[in-house]
């Protein structure tokens, strides 16, 4: 018997080494090297199996997208599933990944297509129970409880589906790899084989991926580079709303988000997301401001809440939920420098309603307004929306897509909007919406404190 050979692979980035290392040289992570047996394979004789063709020789008539039946998911995907694409869907346990994909399978099957649903975590009876709860009873959905990835190609040739769902990628395995399912080598090998099947057969694949306690997809980072689309399914179990966020998309934008709500009949789309991120205005409510963030191709009105309170001994606390904490510190520093407010002697807490994470710089003005309102203990006008980017010099800078933001402001019933003064050049605002222009943070404070 020959001597067994092992290698060590990083379970985060996939870096390989012949010996164990405490720190991975690829991603600088500690204690991520896992030992795996290495088997030598005989390389087959090389032969040419495909021919090179001119670009214009490929017909564009067959290039189409397969609708998922969920408009919010189609929005995140860029219009639907592209044949031959591999989509990786990640999320916390119990967030609704299997429910969403079973509803997608039903929508595709009702369109006259066939679907293979490979369940490696649940038995066929468990999937059937979920389908009865969701009122799904379509004979075009074929359930498969098979974890051997080598047998999947045979089922696809026999059934000829338009969509294949693998729930989850951590449960399937290749018999050519001696390590257990879910290991680095198994994940890499199984994903590579699925990609090869997808490209050769023009079938769309959905892969369900587990996430770690840090919220990242489990397995080596190379998986996200291999697939075509990566989507995170986010949300709190205590709330019914779920967010679909595109992290990578070779066929569309990665800035889109989709909003869905978990109900007794499964996941339903939220037609007007702005209502989710707004709460009923309370009289004399300090530290609350409404801003307009642009997510993907649509504007959203989002409520920002802050609490400024006197700090005790030691350093003041800065806590943020929904934005980067360094960004909150930057806005506080500008307010201290330009307004003279003694925020260094106060704790500042910030929360964005709805559980969304804001990256749009145009919400800076709304955050600053909420901080000033809580610090001065003076409520802001409940019918006003604040839009603008705050520079380090205290200037209120212009933001893109202002017309679309103002249209959403009027649609939601607000009467006034505070916008950057630099955005007024050759611009005609809506006559039924009062638009107030400010150029600096000092002008802004005078405006909101006097108004």
């Amino acid at each position: 018997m020959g001597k067994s050979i092992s290698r060590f692979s990083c379970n985060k980035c996939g870096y390989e080494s012949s010996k164990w290392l405490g720190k991975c040289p690829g991603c600088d992570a500690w204690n991520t090297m896992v030992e795996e047996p290495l088997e030598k394979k005989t390389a087959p004789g090389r032969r040419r199996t495909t021919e090179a063709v001119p670009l214009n020789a490929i017909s564009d008539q067959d290039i189409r997208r397969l609708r998922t039946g969920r408009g919010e998911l189609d929005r995140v995907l860029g219009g639907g599933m592209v044949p031959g694409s591999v989509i990786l869907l990640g999320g916390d346990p119990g967030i609704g990944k299997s429910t969403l994909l079973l509803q997608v399978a039903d929508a595709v099957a009702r369109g006259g297509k066939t679907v293979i649903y490979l369940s490696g975590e649940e038995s066929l009876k468990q999937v059937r129970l979920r389908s009865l709860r969701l009122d799904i009873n379509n004979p075009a959905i074929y359930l498969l409880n098979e974890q051997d990835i080598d047998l999947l190609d045979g089922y696809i040739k026999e059934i000829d589906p338009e969509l294949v769902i693998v729930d989850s990628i951590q449960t399937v395995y290749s018999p050519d790899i001696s390590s257990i399912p879910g290991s680095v080598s198994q994940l890499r090998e199984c994903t590579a084989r699925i990609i090869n099947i997808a490209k050769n057969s023009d079938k769309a694949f959905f892969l369900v991926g587990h996430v770690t306690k840090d919220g990242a997809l489990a397995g080596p980072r190379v998986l996200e580079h291999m697939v075509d689309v990566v989507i995170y399914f986010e949300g709190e179990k205590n709330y019914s709303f779920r967010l679909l966020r595109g992290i990578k998309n070779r066929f569309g934008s990665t800035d889109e988000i989709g909003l869905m709500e978990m109900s007794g009949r499964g996941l339903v789309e939220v037609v007007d997301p702005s209502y989710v991120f707004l709460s009923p205005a309370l009289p004399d409510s300090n530290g609350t401001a409404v801003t307009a963030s642009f997510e993907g191709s649509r504007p959203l009105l989002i409520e920002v809440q802050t609490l400024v309170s006197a700090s005790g001994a030691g350093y003041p606390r800065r806590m943020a939920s929904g934005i980067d904490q360094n960004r909150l510190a930057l806005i506080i520093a500008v307010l201290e420098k330009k307004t003279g407010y003694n925020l260094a002697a106060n704790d500042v807490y910030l929360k964005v309603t709805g559980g969304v994470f804001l990256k749009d710089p145009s919400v800076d003005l709304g955050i600053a307004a909420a901080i000033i309102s809580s610090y001065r203990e003076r409520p802001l006008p409940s019918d006003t929306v604040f839009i603008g980017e705050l520079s380090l010099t205290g200037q209120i800078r212009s933001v893109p897509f202002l017309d679309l933001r103002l249209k959403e402001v009027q649609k939601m019933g607000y009467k006034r909007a505070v916008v950057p003064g630099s955005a007024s050049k050759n611009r005609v605002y809506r006559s039924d919406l009062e638009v107030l222009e400010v150029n600096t943070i000092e002008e802004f404070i005078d405006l909101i404190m006097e108004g």
Side-chain angles (χ1 to χ4, degrees):
M1 180 180 295
K3 182 180 178 181
S4 60
I5 303 176
S6 298
R7 66 180 175 187
F8 294 86
S9 300
C10 175
N11 57 15
K12 284 194 173 182
C13 68
Y15 181 87
E16 296 181 359
S17 173
S18 59
K19 60 181 181 179
W20 184 85
L21 301 172
K23 182 179 180 181
C24 173
C27 61
D28 295 333
W30 288 91
N31 298 325
T32 57
M33 305 298 289
V34 180
E35 184 179 7
E36 296 179 348
L38 179 63
E39 296 181 359
K40 295 183 178 180
K41 298 181 180 179
T42 57
R46 296 182 178 178
R47 65 180 186 276
R48 191 171 64 179
T49 58
T50 59
E51 297 292 337
V53 295
L55 176 64
N56 58 2
I58 302 175
S59 174
D60 58 352
Q61 300 299 323
D62 297 332
I63 301 177
R64 68 196 186 284
R65 290 180 182 264
L66 184 63
R67 300 291 181 177
T68 64
R70 294 291 178 268
E72 293 296 301
L73 180 57
D74 285 336
R75 175 191 292 271
V76 177
L77 291 174
M81 298 175 289
V82 176
S85 64
V86 179
I87 305 165
L88 183 60
L89 177 66
D92 294 330
I95 203 70
K97 301 184 296 296
S98 301
T99 299
L100 174 63
L101 293 183
L102 193 57
Q103 290 181 286
V104 170
D106 180 57
V108 173
R110 281 189 279 107
K113 309 291 193 305
T114 55
V115 181
I116 289 181
Y117 189 102
L118 189 152
S119 177
E121 297 181 343
E122 299 176 310
S123 66
L124 299 185
K125 290 186 178 180
Q126 289 175 312
V127 179
R128 178 58 176 161
L129 286 175
R130 179 184 290 113
S131 70
L132 293 176
R133 178 173 59 85
L134 300 175
D135 196 20
I136 297 175
N137 190 28
N138 200 312
I141 301 176
Y142 291 85
L143 300 182
L144 183 60
N145 193 1
E146 179 59 63
Q147 296 177 322
D148 190 346
I149 197 65
D150 290 345
L151 303 178
L152 180 59
D153 195 19
Y155 287 106
I156 292 176
K157 292 179 179 178
E158 177 185 350
I159 300 174
D160 192 25
E162 290 288 330
L163 173 64
V164 180
I165 298 172
V166 179
D167 186 6
S168 66
I169 187 61
Q170 277 86 2
T171 60
V172 296
Y173 70 93
S174 171
D176 296 336
I177 307 295
S178 59
S179 57
I180 62 174
S183 62
V184 174
S185 57
Q186 285 284 7
L187 286 172
R188 188 166 46 227
E189 179 70 17
C190 293
T191 304
R193 296 199 183 187
I194 288 175
I195 292 175
N196 185 50
I197 295 173
K199 304 307 178 186
N200 292 333
S201 61
D202 273 347
K203 310 297 183 184
F205 276 76
F206 252 113
L207 309 181
V208 175
H210 295 164
V211 296
T212 63
K213 62 181 180 180
D214 299 327
L217 281 165
R221 182 66 67 176
V222 70
L223 289 184
E224 300 184 28
H225 295 285
M226 295 171 65
V227 300
D228 299 307
V229 183
V230 179
I231 298 175
Y232 278 86
F233 203 25
E234 305 171 354
E236 297 290 339
K237 292 183 179 180
N238 298 328
Y239 296 92
S240 60
F241 295 105
R242 304 287 188 267
L243 279 174
L244 287 165
R245 187 185 302 275
I247 304 300
K248 172 188 176 182
N249 192 350
R250 289 174 177 163
F251 315 111
S253 172
T254 57
D255 297 326
E256 295 285 357
I257 65 169
L259 186 63
M260 309 189 79
E261 183 178 6
M262 180 65 77
S263 65
R265 300 293 297 273
L267 289 159
V268 296
E269 299 177 58
V270 177
V271 180
D272 201 338
S274 291
Y275 284 103
V276 177
F277 304 114
L278 298 175
S279 59
L282 298 176
D284 300 331
S285 180
N286 301 326
T288 299
V290 178
T291 184
S293 175
F294 210 85
E295 300 292 335
S297 60
R298 62 183 175 186
L300 298 176
L301 296 190
I302 298 177
E303 182 180 299
V304 178
Q305 300 174 349
T306 61
L307 175 63
V308 179
S309 61
S311 61
Y315 293 103
R317 300 192 65 182
R318 306 285 187 255
M319 295 185 63
S321 173
I323 69 167
D324 186 10
Q325 189 163 331
N326 294 327
R327 187 174 172 190
L328 173 62
L330 185 147
I331 296 174
I332 293 174
V334 174
L335 291 177
E336 285 185 325
K337 180 72 174 179
K338 298 299 179 181
T339 64
Y341 291 162
N342 188 21
L343 295 173
N346 294 270
D347 298 332
V348 180
Y349 305 91
L350 182 142
K351 185 179 186 300
V352 178
T353 60
V356 67
F357 190 88
L358 300 180
K359 296 181 180 179
D360 188 356
S362 63
V363 302
D364 289 352
L365 193 60
I367 295 173
I371 294 174
I372 295 170
S373 171
S374 181
Y375 179 80
R376 298 283 298 269
E377 295 186 356
R378 182 171 179 178
L380 297 170
S382 59
D383 60 349
T384 305
V385 178
F386 306 93
I387 308 170
E389 179 184 356
L390 182 62
S391 69
L392 294 179
T393 60
Q395 179 185 2
I396 309 299
R397 304 186 62 181
S398 61
V399 298
F401 310 111
L402 184 59
D403 293 335
L404 295 177
R405 300 175 198 261
L406 294 179
K407 185 178 179 180
E408 183 72 12
V409 169
Q410 187 200 19
K411 172 187 170 184
M412 297 301 297
Y414 290 87
K415 303 301 182 183
R416 296 193 302 176
V418 180
V419 301
S422 57
S424 62
K425 298 179 180 179
N426 302 323
R427 185 181 297 275
V428 178
Y429 297 117
R430 305 180 67 92
S431 58
D432 49 355
L433 181 66
E434 183 182 1
V435 178
L436 307 177
E437 300 173 351
V438 292
N439 293 300
T440 63
I441 190 65
E442 292 88 347
E443 292 182 15
F444 173 69
I445 293 177
D446 293 339
L447 176 66
I448 62 174
M449 289 297 107
E450 293 177 0

